[in-house]
């Protein structure tokens, strides 16, 4: 096939409508040669077929912003190296090895340094991560586990000594790492109340001893653990033994750098047991494993000591007065994972909606009797499936970009209020966007009919790989409840005269004005100017949030009297999500 | 592990709450041995853990009815033959071969004869198909393509000579076959207006010549075609050449038995081109292929001639006067496919909801402060995910069983009105049930959190395999529009004094009474007796259908004036689905 020859090629006037249609369909069909490859069966330039006349370059620049070139560099790099592209059929073990080779090539051949960007320009990191996810979502996750979770924990929870010792190894992938938080019994979201792994300080040898006290405390689903990881940041309760009557003291959960495999031989180190978590629904390029620690000794320096430290003589010091404050600080530093998931999820939505809209424009079906066929996108039912999705994709693109900007800002300013906002916003956006993308991937498959079911058209692997985005870094249902909890706290603060953060500041106004009138924002205007005015739309959303918040508070108060606060919350947890 | 030892075993009083929890979780974890298999880590009898005290046997008998034993025979057969079970990781080619071996073993070793049941007892066939789908959905589909589609077309569109010649070969799998309806350009649903494959009668040799006139007419996604099929029922326009001025006559689409591979050598026969459709999102045990025919000659006897025949001298005869009537008759005979999909889909919903409910009972999370943990099913948000789904599963079980009974009845009585009803009901139920199951499979995965993402827990393969149920045998959106069209026709018939079929008979009453009063069914009673009364509930549904139908008719009439009937239909196609 000659890719330069298009449907509209005027040297081919005899092409029938039927052949044209086949040509168009051929975009979405298997790249294997058809029965009799003929020069008429060309790939087609989509923009030409669709008669798009706007300037694609400008739109692309506007959307991708200053990272357009970096993203294209990633895409070009893999496009020109077919041996680095993930085939449709690949065994789990081969996929894991390929994914490692892809990551190596990205960093060492293409000289793209995502870990560096986390420090220098977080927005660039998220842009690269989105582009990398387009190659293979497994690669995006493997990169995220290494750079953002493992590397990010060293950067953000550690101090200068850790950066000096580990930065280069993380940057050049010599020190491939894991983020060992989730335990079999307790997931990541609840880590501040449930993690059971312990790190006991041994004053005699100046070491911490890491232990898995029971099967429920096995670190589970740990990315990079099954095959490739050399290190892990292990989250464990720091135990200090005292020699007086008080016994042991639990100082709360801290992060510890634990070497898990020998840097030279890659052998598993003594006291570490590694179990392979096996096949997953998707993301089989990522080697998830389980880790169990049996009296694993690490130097005192391996404590990530930014928020709390232990001295040579076993004394604990922290700039933060309570366990809860330290947890909150740690959580604030780890919020980048959620920001990344929300941002990547929009990336996959972009791919899916593009595939589905293009196909629906090109695929034709019966129109009115005795008239030419119409594009299936001419059907109202099809438009209702895809057009709101396309609009939402743009909205999510800008919303997540705003979140990324806010995240970059807190990395610079460490503004405490903004940290709180980013925490709530990232929980809400991660949850909303990943649920929306998951549903949309299914809708797009259906909208492409049988051809959507061909593996080559990607909708299946996108769905399988993306599926777990709804669960990791916090189950979406639980995260929405967390956002609700945060809003309720803001509401309380307002009544107690406390400060409201920037994002929720409107609640002050709304509670003073909106809620005292029946419906003040609309003023019952119906003109297009009014309805399309962003200010009106923003007011409408704020009005809705305020009303719902007020009503949730009233219901919680009512139920708390009879069911206690846990019971009241449980009884409201569905309505607070749905209304 | 000793499977007979359960959690409540009193000889193990030292088991801690933690160990118990692990034991419970172990049901849902990989069957690979844990680090240190211990006698405490037992599989658990679920009913005992849940303290279910009703008689499971009676419930099972009531639900499965008289086919319980046949279904259990299938499950036991595969359970006792691990080499016939589909592993989690398997290449497409290996999966296809395994699936063929599974089918062979079912018929030749277990002596289960699904094709025979289609004739003797269709309900038994659907029960077997549901059980077979539990082994591997690919196997269920491969069996369905062979028995119900290929075999069913021979039985239902052919006559005695076809049954005599092919029955045994189909029954014993010597004559593995395909159902070649869908073309690349036009799907199965539109076959009466769009299929382009042609079958020209050659009076000199007494043969039909099958031809694919263009690429759009290639038979596409044909199950069993890529590797295993020996025969195909090919749907093609029957062309009779006349020797007078009228030229060729198109008698409409008919089914033809076309041998595609040599019975002994399995070589592709001359004039047949077979293309492999390759990897799919799921169902990779089924070998879908594309078929192209280049002047393939078949004996005149290979026309499936129940509804239309060609004599030795090229004369066409039919008991049915018009092309449309013949199409309708053919469609009526092919409705079994949809009945089967609806029924199987409920089967997968049963599996998924069982996995998710069990897991949610056993998995525990934080409860009220300083109190024991609660099962995650104690959370209202979790109940709202799973309990309506469980109730719907029962409702769909009975609804599809009713459909199967009606289908069995038309196979006996050929009652024309009931045929129409089964056609509309199967379109509606197939669409509604498969969409519901598809969404629920995703919800169940989420409800099981990270462990739901482990491939071993089946939710991923169920979703991938089931996904296409929403598309094949008719796209769900299009099928719902078909049902709407059928209802509108019934509405018209009523006004024109025509007969209403049994199922829709209530429309007569409703249009005379319900719609002349504001809301007569409720009578504003709110007692539990009234609200739980099945008669009230049925009336409420009928009231709703009638109201919506009346309003749809009014809107269609209004829009028809300005947009024509096609435009009006298109403009209403979303609201008619959603309301």
């Amino acid at each position: 096939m000659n890719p330069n020859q298009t449907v509209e090629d005027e040297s081919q006037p005899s092409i029938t409508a039927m052949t044209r249609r086949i040509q168009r369909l051929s975009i979405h069909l298997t790249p294997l040669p058809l029965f009799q490859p003929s020069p008429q069966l060309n790939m087609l330039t989509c923009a030409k077929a669709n008669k798009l006349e706007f300037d694609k370059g400008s739109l692309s620049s506007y959307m991708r912003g200053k990272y357009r070139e970096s993203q294209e560099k990633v895409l070009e790099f893999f496009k020109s190296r077919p041996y680095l592209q993930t085939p449709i059929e690949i065994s789990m073990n081969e996929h894991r090895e390929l994914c490692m080779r892809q990551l190596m090539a990205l960093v060492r051949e293409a000289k793209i340094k995502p870990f560096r960007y986390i420090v220098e320009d977080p927005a660039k990191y998220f842009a690269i991560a989105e582009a990398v996810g387009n190659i293979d979502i497994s690669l995006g996750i493997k990169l995220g586990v290494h750079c953002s979770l493992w590397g990010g924990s060293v950067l953000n929870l550690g101090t200068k000594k850790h950066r000096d010792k580990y930065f280069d190894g993380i940057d050049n992938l010599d020190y491939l790492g894991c983020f060992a938080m989730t335990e079999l019994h307790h997931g990541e979201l609840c880590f501040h109340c449930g993690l059971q792994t312990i790190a006991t300080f041994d004053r005699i040898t100046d070491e911490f001893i890491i232990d898995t006290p029971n099967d429920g405390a096995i670190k589970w689903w740990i990315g990079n653990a099954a095959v490739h990881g050399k290190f892990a940041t292990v989250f464990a309760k720091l135990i200090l033994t005292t020699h007086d009557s008080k016994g042991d003291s639990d100082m709360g959960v801290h992060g510890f750098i634990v070497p898990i495999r020998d840097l030279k031989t890659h052998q598993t180190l003594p006291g570490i047991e590694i179990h392979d978590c096996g096949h997953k629904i998707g993301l089989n390029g990522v080697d998830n494993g389980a880790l169990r620690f049996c009296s694993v000794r690490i130097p005192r320096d391996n404590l990530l000591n930014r928020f709390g430290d232990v001295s040579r003589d076993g004394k604990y010091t922290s700039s933060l007065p309570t366990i809860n404050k330290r947890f909150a600080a740690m959580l604030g530093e780890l919020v980048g994972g959620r920001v990344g998931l929300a941002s990547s999820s929009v990336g996959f939505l972009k791919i899916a909606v593009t595939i589905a809209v293009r196909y629906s424009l090109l695929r034709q079906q019966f129109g009115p009797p005795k008239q030419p066929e119409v594009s299936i996108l001419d059907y109202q039912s099809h438009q209702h499936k895809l057009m709101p999705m396309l609009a939402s994709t743009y909205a999510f693109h800008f919303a997540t970009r705003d979140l990324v900007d806010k995240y970059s800002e807190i990395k610079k300013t460490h503004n405490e209020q903004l940290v709180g906002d980013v925490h709530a916003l990232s929980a809400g956006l991660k949850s909303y966007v990943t649920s929306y993308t998951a549903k949309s991937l299914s809708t797009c498959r259906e909208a492409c009919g049988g051809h959507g079911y061909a593996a080559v058209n990607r909708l299946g692997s996108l769905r399988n790989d993306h599926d777990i985005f709804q669960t990791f870094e916090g189950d979406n249902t639980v995260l929405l409840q967390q956002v609700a909890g945060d809003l309720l706290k803001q509401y309380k603060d307002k009544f107690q005269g406390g400060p409201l953060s920037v994002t929720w500041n409107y609640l002050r106004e709304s509670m003073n004005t909106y809620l005292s009138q029946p419906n003040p924002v609309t003023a019952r205007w119906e003109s297009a100017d009014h309805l399309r005015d962003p200010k009106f739309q923003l007011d409408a959303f704020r009005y809705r949030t305020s009303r719902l918040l007020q009503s949730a508070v009233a219901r919680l108060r009512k139920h708390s009297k009879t069911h206690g606060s846990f019971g009241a919350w449980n009884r409201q947890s569905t309505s607070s999500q749905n209304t």
Side-chain angles (χ1 to χ4, degrees), chain A:
Chain A
M1 289 192 240
N2 172 2
N4 299 319
Q5 207 170 16
T6 67
V7 166
E8 274 76 10
D9 191 332
E10 293 183 4
S11 66
Q12 301 270 348
S14 66
I15 296 175
T16 62
M18 183 60 63
T19 318
R20 268 210 310 281
R21 183 165 307 118
I22 299 294
Q23 290 175 332
R24 289 172 179 190
L25 270 175
S26 68
I27 297 179
H28 295 278
L29 297 178
T30 158
L32 296 172
L34 285 169
F35 299 96
Q36 299 164 337
S38 77
Q40 285 93 335
L41 284 168
N42 298 315
M43 295 300 277
L44 147 149
T45 311
C46 194
K48 198 169 176 187
N50 296 347
K51 307 218 165 46
L52 300 179
E53 277 168 24
F54 62 86
D55 179 355
K56 278 198 298 181
S58 305
L59 180 65
S60 183
S61 292
Y62 179 71
M63 295 296 292
R64 295 198 187 169
K66 58 179 174 170
Y67 305 111
R68 182 184 173 189
E69 220 171 283
S70 313
Q71 290 190 320
E72 277 172 6
K73 188 177 164 190
V74 171
L75 301 176
E76 284 305 319
F77 177 76
F78 285 98
K79 198 173 166 188
S80 63
R81 285 162 182 78
Y83 59 93
L84 284 179
Q85 288 163 21
T86 311
I88 286 167
E89 179 167 301
I90 185 167
S91 73
M92 181 182 75
N93 288 334
E94 286 169 350
H95 195 179
R96 287 169 167 186
E97 289 312 312
L98 175 61
C99 198
M100 189 67 229
R101 284 201 303 278
Q102 290 170 332
L103 185 57
M104 287 285 194
L106 182 81
V107 171
R108 296 186 181 174
E109 278 182 57
K111 307 287 180 204
I112 289 164
K113 301 283 193 175
F115 182 59
R116 235 160 246 277
Y117 310 146
I118 289 184
V119 185
E120 296 163 4
D121 183 356
K124 184 170 180 178
Y125 170 76
F126 292 118
I128 294 292
E130 184 190 330
V132 165
N134 285 1
I135 304 305
D136 184 335
I137 304 189
S138 283
L139 176 60
I141 295 299
K142 195 169 182 76
L143 176 139
V145 170
H146 175 72
C147 294
S148 170
L149 296 181
W150 148 245
S153 63
V154 173
L155 284 179
N156 296 314
L157 306 181
T159 48
K160 184 172 178 300
K161 65 181 176 187
H162 299 111
R163 278 190 287 278
D164 290 347
K165 184 167 176 188
Y166 295 98
F167 191 97
D168 288 345
I170 296 174
D171 191 44
N172 67 21
L173 303 180
D174 278 344
Y175 297 173
L176 202 85
C178 316
F179 183 81
M181 181 178 284
T182 305
E183 295 179 357
L184 181 55
H185 182 202
H186 279 122
E188 47 210 320
L189 240 196
C190 312
F191 84 104
H192 55 289
C193 37
L195 293 193
Q196 297 180 88
T197 303
I198 52 174
T200 314
F201 182 60
D202 180 348
R203 217 191 299 183
I204 299 164
T205 62
D206 197 25
E207 291 171 321
F208 291 104
I209 308 164
I210 311 287
D211 269 298
T212 303
N214 57 58
D215 287 355
I218 294 169
K219 297 292 182 182
W220 204 268
W221 291 130
I222 308 306
N224 290 337
V227 182
H228 295 123
K230 303 279 194 196
F231 293 90
T233 292
V234 175
F235 290 85
K237 292 192 288 191
L238 168 54
I239 307 292
L240 293 177
T241 47
T242 51
H243 295 280
D244 55 24
S245 58
K246 282 192 284 180
D248 295 348
S249 301
D250 174 359
M251 310 311 295
V253 171
H254 289 65
F256 299 85
I257 295 179
V258 181
I260 58 169
R261 286 191 178 88
D262 187 274
L263 274 177
K264 281 182 193 152
T265 66
H266 204 67
Q267 290 299 304
T268 304
L269 293 171
I272 313 260
E273 287 177 7
I274 302 180
H275 171 73
D276 192 328
C277 289
H279 290 83
K280 304 184 296 290
I281 289 178
L283 296 182
N284 281 309
V286 183
D287 52 313
N288 291 84
L291 295 172
R292 185 187 199 128
F293 305 97
C294 183
S295 298
V296 175
R297 290 177 168 268
I298 53 168
R300 184 167 53 92
D301 269 349
N302 285 23
L303 166 64
L304 293 168
N305 60 341
R306 178 165 159 207
F307 297 119
D309 204 358
V310 174
S311 65
R312 179 65 192 86
D313 60 350
K315 291 277 181 319
Y316 185 79
T317 51
S318 172
S319 57
L320 299 164
T322 64
I323 287 188
N324 281 346
K325 287 264 179 196
R326 294 196 290 270
F327 283 135
M330 204 155 95
L331 266 181
E333 291 303 332
L334 299 176
V335 76
R338 280 183 200 158
V339 175
L341 287 189
S343 159
S344 298
S345 182
V346 183
F348 309 133
L349 184 58
K350 289 174 193 169
I351 298 173
V353 79
T354 304
I355 293 173
V357 168
R358 281 189 184 167
Y359 178 78
S360 306
L361 276 167
L362 301 175
R363 177 79 176 183
Q364 304 202 316
Q365 275 295 359
F366 311 102
K370 293 180 190 169
Q371 286 180 41
E373 295 189 319
V374 299
S375 148
I376 58 172
L377 198 56
D378 289 332
Y379 281 91
Q380 195 192 50
S381 53
H382 221 75
Q383 290 164 8
H384 277 241
K385 279 182 191 151
L386 297 181
M387 291 299 108
M389 195 189 291
L390 181 60
S392 299
T393 308
Y394 278 91
F396 293 157
H397 169 85
F398 293 112
T400 49
R401 200 160 74 174
D402 183 65
L403 177 65
V404 165
D405 289 344
K406 281 196 167 68
Y407 176 79
S408 303
E409 204 184 322
I410 60 170
K411 287 281 127 190
K412 273 185 224 151
T413 65
H414 302 280
N415 176 310
E416 206 174 297
Q417 273 197 357
L418 200 57
V419 168
D421 279 8
V422 168
H423 199 253
L425 284 174
S426 64
L429 260 180
K430 181 271 187 186
S431 170
Y432 193 80
V433 168
T434 60
S435 289
Y436 188 93
T437 296
K439 283 188 186 65
S440 300
L441 288 169
S442 287
T443 307
C444 288
R445 202 295 295 158
E446 284 173 69
C448 295
H451 294 303
Y453 199 59
V456 70
N457 290 322
R458 300 183 65 188
L459 296 169
S461 58
L462 285 170
R463 178 171 55 197
N464 284 337
D465 288 344
H466 175 275
D467 187 13
I468 197 65
F469 280 53
Q470 299 173 96
T471 301
F472 59 20
E473 296 272 339
D475 172 82
N476 281 356
T477 303
V478 177
L479 283 185
L480 284 182
Q481 291 179 1
Q482 224 181 57
V483 176
D486 196 63
L487 279 169
L488 288 165
K489 192 177 156 296
Q490 299 282 338
Y491 185 91
K492 253 195 210 159
D493 286 353
K494 194 268 160 189
F495 274 100
Q496 293 167 356
L500 277 160
S501 71
V502 185
T503 306
W504 312 121
N505 202 34
Y506 71 87
L507 287 175
R508 183 186 312 277
E509 191 196 345
S510 69
M511 280 182 283
N512 288 338
T513 61
Y514 292 176
L515 301 181
S516 56
Q517 300 167 41
N519 195 350
V521 269
T522 69
R524 287 167 189 74
W525 296 335
E526 287 177 357
S527 72
D529 280 358
H530 173 67
L531 293 173
R532 287 183 170 164
D533 179 359
K535 185 178 174 318
F536 158 72
Q537 291 170 2
L538 187 61
D539 278 351
F541 279 119
R542 288 176 167 178
Y543 175 75
R544 186 160 187 266
T545 317
S546 308
R547 287 282 294 194
L548 290 172
L549 193 54
Q550 197 188 41
S551 116
V553 169
R555 278 174 287 140
L556 282 170
R557 272 200 198 123
K558 187 181 128 197
H559 288 296
S560 292
K561 286 174 198 154
T562 40
H563 303 291
S565 63
F566 178 84
W569 179 261
N570 189 18
R571 273 168 186 78
Q572 288 305 307
S573 58
T574 312
S575 45
S576 54
Q577 282 164 54
N578 294 342
T579 45

